[in-house]
Amino acid sequence: MRGEAEAFPHAANDGNFDLADYYRSQNISFRVFADDIVTQNETKWNLKECLFQVQKRISSVFAEELNARDAGVLATLVAGNKGLMDTEIKEMYQDAGISHILAISGLHISILGMGIFRFLRRIRCPYPLAAGVGSAVIVCFVLMSGMGVSARRALIMYLVLMGAEVMGKAYDPLNALALAALLTLIFQPLALYQSGFQFSFLAMAAITLSGAVFRRREEKKEQKKQDDLRRAGLVNHLLSGAFLQLFLLPLTAWIYYEVPIYAMFLNLMVIPLCSWLLGAGLLGGLTGLFWPLLSKWILVLCHLILVLYEKSIGLVNDIPFSQVITGKPSAWLMLFYYVTLVGACVLYIYGGNNRRFFLWLCRILPIVPVLLLVCILFVPGKEICRIDFLDVAQGDGIYLTDGEGTHVMIDGGSSSESSVGEYRIEPFLKYHRVQKVDAWILTHSDSDHYSGLLELLEDGYPVEYLLLAKSLPRDETWKELTEAAEQNGTEVVYVETGDGIQMSGCEMTCLYPSSEDTSDDTNALSQVWEFRCNDLSVLFTGDIGEEQELLLSDRGLLTDINVLKVAHHGSKYSSCEEFLEAVSPEYAVISSGEGNRYGHPHAETLARLDAAGTAILQTQDSGQITFYYEKGKWRLDTYY
C-alpha cells in the first residue's frame, strides 16, 4: 500500500472528542489515504476474512428485509457492523441512555454462548464438549464484531466461566472481571481511558456488587410467604436498576456532560425486550442466508420491538428535564463518590448484624452517595468570568460569561469542518454546564460564522435571543436562520450602533453597523462589539475590512483595548496600520484553520500586528484561547 500518512487530530477545545487519544488507546498511531494497494501474499483461507463475509451477508439480509433505520440497529446489535447505523438513531439511543444495547457485550454472550452450552448439556453432551463448542462460537462471534473492549471483557469472563464448569469449580465474577481488565490493559494499556472500557467494567462491577448486596439483604430477612417473595423479587429488580444508575450516572456526566434522568425506567422495559430482539435478530439473520422468506417473518418481531423502543424514547423525551446538562464534574468529587459508594456496599455486605455501630452505619451510610450524586448532577460548580475563542478551524466561535449565570456566544461556524456545532461548539457548552445561551450574536451571514449556530438551533439547544444587525440583508440565509430560531423558541432581536447587553459587572456595546449602513458585501456589515469587564477591554470585529475600520475611527468609536479579535481571520485587507494605532491592542487573537485555502492569516497582516507591538495568538497553533478572571486579575490560557 502506498499513500500519504496523516496523524490523527487532537481535541482543540474543552469537551471535544480527542480522536488521536482514542486511536492511540487502540495502538493505532496514524492513518494512510492509499493511492494504490498491491497484494503481496494471498492466503487461500483466513478466518477473519470468512467472518467478515458472514457479517456482510447478515447485514445485507437486514438491509433487504427491513427499513434503513431498523437494519442499521440490527446490523450493529447482532453483527457488530456499525456502517449501516443511522446517526439520528444512534444519538437518540445515546440521549435516552440505552446506547449500551448496541455494544457487543455480556448480553450477547449470555444469550448465544450460554444458550449453546445449556442446549448441548440438555442433550447430554459432556461438559468439555459443550464448553468447547460454546467457546468456539463466541470467539468467532467476537472476532466478527470487531473485538471491542466490552466484547473482549465478556469473552474473557465467559471463558473463565466455561473453565469453572469443566473443572467443577466455583465461578467468582469479580475475579473474572479483574482478570479481564488485567489482560486487556496488558496488551492495550491506554484502553483504560476509553469510555467503552470504563462503562463496560464499571457496569459489570456494579451488577456483581449489587448481586452481593441483595443476597445479603435477603439473608437478613425472615422466612416469607410465597407472595412476599414475588414482591421482593420485583422490588429487587427495581432496586438493582437504581443501583446500576448510582454507578453509571456520574460516569455518564463525566464523559457526556449530561445525563438522561429517566434512563433507569426506560431500561426496565428495554433490557428484557433486548433479549428477544437479539435472539430474533440472530435467528432472522442466519435464516436469511438460506431461506429469505422465513427470515422476513422472523424479523417482523424485531421491527415491532424497535418501533416500541422509538415510541418509548419519544414519550420519555417529552417529559420535562429528560436530559440534564451537568458539565464535567470535579475529579476529586467523583473519586470521593465512588469510594463512599463502594465502602457503603462493602460495609453492608460484611457488617455484623448484632453490633449496633455497624447496624447504624448500614442504615445511614447509603444516604451519603445519594447526596453526593445530587451534588454531582444538580449543584453547579463555581463559575468565573471568562472569554473563550474556540478553535473551529476556518471560522469563528466565541463564548463569554460574566461568571454569574449570563452566557453569550458570538458567531459559531466553520467552512472547513462539517458538523462544527455538534462536534466542537455544543460539547464545549455542555462541558461548561451552559444550560442556555442567553444571547447569540451573529456578526454576519457567512456560513463560516453561522453553520454551527444553525445546527444547535435545529437540534433544540436553548438560545433565548438571536441578535442580528438591522442592516442584515433579508436573503435566504436570513430566512433559514429566523425560521430555525422561531422553531426553537428563540426570539430574534435586531441591533445597531449603541445597543448593548448588560451583564453582572460587565457590559457589551455594539459599535457597528448602524441601521443606515449599507453594502453589497456581507463582510462589510459585520457587527462590531466591545466588551469591558474588570479593567479588560476586548474588541470583536467579525469580518470587517479596512474601509470599516477607518469608518469606526472617523466616528470616534475606537479606544485603546487589551484584546483584539482580528477581523476576517487575519485577511490581508483587514487590521490596517491606522486601525491598529487607534486601538493599540496588547493581544491579537486570530481564528483560522491550518492550511486553509485562503492563506489566512496573511503574512502582511502578521507583520503589521508585530510592528504594532501586539502579541499574536492563533487558534490553529494554540487551540482554544481563554482569558479568565481569577483572584483579582486577568489570566491567559491556551488549550495546548
Side-chain angles (χ1 to χ4, degrees), residues 296-326:
K296 185 173 185 177
W297 287 103
I298 295 173
L299 294 175
V300 168
L301 176 60
C302 297
H303 171 71
L304 294 175
I305 293 174
L306 291 173
V307 168
L308 180 59
Y309 280 4
E310 287 194 36
K311 296 291 184 185
S312 301
I313 292 171
L315 289 173
V316 168
N317 287 340
D318 289 337
I319 303 174
F321 307 109
S322 60
Q323 287 283 129
V324 173
I325 297 174
T326 62

Side-chain angles (χ1 to χ4, degrees), residues 417-436:
E417 293 293 315
S418 59
S419 303
V420 68
E422 178 182 358
Y423 295 119
R424 298 209 183 190
I425 300 174
E426 187 172 3
F428 170 87
L429 293 173
K430 289 180 177 179
Y431 178 95
H432 287 286
R433 205 188 182 105
V434 179
Q435 308 283 351
K436 175 188 67 174

Side-chain angles (χ1 to χ4, degrees), residues 38 44 53 110 164 174 242 253 340 602 611:
V38 179
K44 294 183 179 180
Q53 294 302 325
S110 63
L174 277 180
T340 305
H602 198 277

Side-chain angles (χ1 to χ4, degrees), residues 572-635:
K572 175 182 178 180
Y573 306 104
S574 300
S575 304
C576 65
E577 292 177 359
E578 293 86 346
F579 173 76
L580 293 177
E581 185 177 348
V583 296
S584 302
E586 298 174 39
Y587 295 95
V589 177
I590 301 175
S591 178
S592 59
E594 185 177 1
N596 66 84
R597 59 192 177 97
Y598 307 103
H600 294 159
H602 198 277
E604 291 184 19
T605 304
L606 295 175
R608 288 195 295 269
L609 290 166
D610 185 59
T614 303
I616 301 171
L617 302 166
Q618 299 186 53
T619 57
Q620 61 176 293
D621 296 330
S622 304
Q624 171 189 322
I625 298 166
T626 303
F627 293 87
Y628 63 99
Y629 191 71
E630 186 178 64
K631 296 180 179 179
K633 64 184 297 186
W634 283 96
R635 304 172 188 272

Side-chain angles (χ1 to χ4, degrees), residues 13 15-17 87-88 91 390-394 396 412-428 440 447-448 450-459:
N13 304 290
N16 289 188
F17 179 71
T87 303
E88 181 184 344
E91 291 176 356
L390 305 187
D391 181 1
V392 291
Q394 187 62 23
D396 267 353
S414 177
S415 60
S416 60
E417 293 293 315
S418 59
S419 303
V420 68
E422 178 182 358
Y423 295 119
R424 298 209 183 190
I425 300 174
E426 187 172 3
F428 170 87
W440 201 310
S447 64
D448 60 334
Y450 80 81
S451 61
L453 161 63
L454 184 62
E455 286 178 53
L456 267 65
L457 289 174
E458 292 176 341
D459 192 44

